[in-house]
Amino acid sequence: MSEVAAVLDDLRRESEELDLLVAELSASQWAGETPAEGWTIAHQVAHLSWTDGVALKAVTDPEGFGDEVEKALADPEGFVDRAAEEVRAAYAPEALLVRWRDGRERLQEVLRAAPEGTRFPWYGPPMSVASMATGRLMETWAHGQDIADALGVTRAPTPRLRHVARIGVRARDYAFLVHGKPAPAEPFRVELIAPDGALIAFGPEGAAQRVTGPLHDFCLLVTQRAHRDDLAVRAEGADADAWLDIAQSFAGPAGTGRAPGSGSASGAGR
């Protein structure tokens, strides 16, 4: 199986798992607040639906996607919130669920049909097919975490988290950039333990700057769904330690993160 097919299959599974979590919710539950300030469960699903839509535009109409970038540049701190609210306000929960399902399936179809080597514009660097699918999986998992937290549901970590970790590692330099700091010149070694005990590693074995810990904790960190003080992720080296304070796996402005011991987000990583 190709890398693209594998990550798209995992994206579908991640979406279906979240779908099961929200499909039978009552109207009052859809309106329930999540850890992201000002966002209900409906806002979370609306955001996923909207992002699938702009991703579809990036794939099928790259020139037209420039309009989306201009909207983001005009309001970098607020365009995501505004889009989520517009979609949430336009659809009742049942219709929103249908919109999300249809949009994510259409995105699956166009990404599977895209020629090998194709790159698409995005809010950060251009994305390959695999990178676009990985980004969608990361967002689905992260916003699914907000929903699970709101519902008091504990989700079992899955091997799909390796995709979230990969994009978090690859976004290292971007995290420094959005904080106005120069990216470290040397590569890092990141060693993560998956739920089944397998080692997932990135970077050269002999690197002086090292990050270690559970895969699940690392994913919570880079998606800013937990504070590093509450996680078993450890750094060796000043640069690696600095990274754990600012790590983010998502494009756009730096998130505010979660407060230590809060166990919930404070508008982070949207």
Side-chain angles (χ1 to χ4, degrees):
M1 181 182 296
S2 70
E3 176 191 6
V4 170
V7 69
L8 282 167
D9 286 349
D10 280 349
L11 169 59
R12 176 171 280 149
R13 294 186 189 100
E14 192 67 38
S15 300
E16 289 172 348
E17 185 176 289
L18 179 55
D19 196 308
L20 289 173
L21 194 59
V22 301
E24 302 301 325
L25 296 182
S26 66
S28 62
Q29 287 175 309
W30 277 90
E33 292 292 324
T34 68
E37 184 179 353
W39 280 33
T40 64
I41 289 176
H43 283 95
Q44 299 283 353
V45 176
H47 171 71
L48 291 175
S49 178
W50 170 78
T51 314
D52 285 342
V54 292
L56 185 65
K57 189 171 186 178
V59 174
T60 60
D61 183 14
E63 291 186 6
F65 181 74
D67 295 339
E68 300 299 329
V69 175
E70 289 182 7
K71 293 176 186 177
L73 292 174
D75 184 18
E77 299 292 338
F79 82 103
V80 171
D81 290 294
R82 185 179 66 254
E85 172 57 21
E86 288 175 354
V87 175
R88 183 211 63 81
Y91 294 88
E94 297 83 358
L96 177 57
L97 192 57
V98 170
R99 185 185 195 270
W100 176 44
R101 288 169 175 167
D102 289 348
R104 73 189 197 227
E105 189 56 37
R106 289 181 63 200
L107 184 60
Q108 280 271 343
E109 292 171 0
V110 297
L111 288 177
R112 289 179 187 275
E116 184 176 353
T118 305
R119 300 188 72 82
F120 312 111
W122 197 239
Y123 296 103
M127 306 275 268
S128 66
V129 177
S131 294
M132 181 69 81
T134 301
R136 298 308 309 125
L137 191 155
M138 178 272 296
E139 280 231 338
T140 302
W141 181 80
H143 290 281
Q145 186 63 46
D146 290 339
I147 292 171
D149 286 347
L151 296 172
V153 172
T154 299
R155 302 188 299 173
T158 75
R160 296 189 295 270
L161 289 177
R162 70 187 186 278
H163 302 298
V164 180
R166 181 181 297 112
I167 201 170
V169 170
R170 294 184 66 180
R172 184 201 73 169
D173 290 358
Y174 181 79
F176 280 93
L177 174 67
V178 297
H179 281 86
K181 300 178 180 182
E186 58 184 303
F188 290 3
R189 175 69 170 181
V190 178
E191 295 184 350
L192 307 171
I193 304 301
D196 63 0
L199 174 66
I200 297 177
F202 306 91
E205 290 187 23
Q209 304 290 325
R210 303 175 64 85
V211 170
T212 59
L215 173 63
H216 183 240
D217 283 23
F218 181 79
C219 292
L220 289 170
L221 179 77
V222 297
T223 58
Q224 297 188 355
R225 263 57 190 180
H227 192 276
R228 65 175 295 188
D229 289 353
D230 300 324
L231 301 170
V233 181
R234 301 292 178 259
E236 298 177 24
D239 288 341
D241 186 69
W243 179 42
L244 295 191
D245 284 333
I246 62 173
Q248 66 179 70
S249 55
F250 48 90
T256 55
R258 299 190 182 194
S262 67
S264 61
S266 55
R270 294 207 294 257

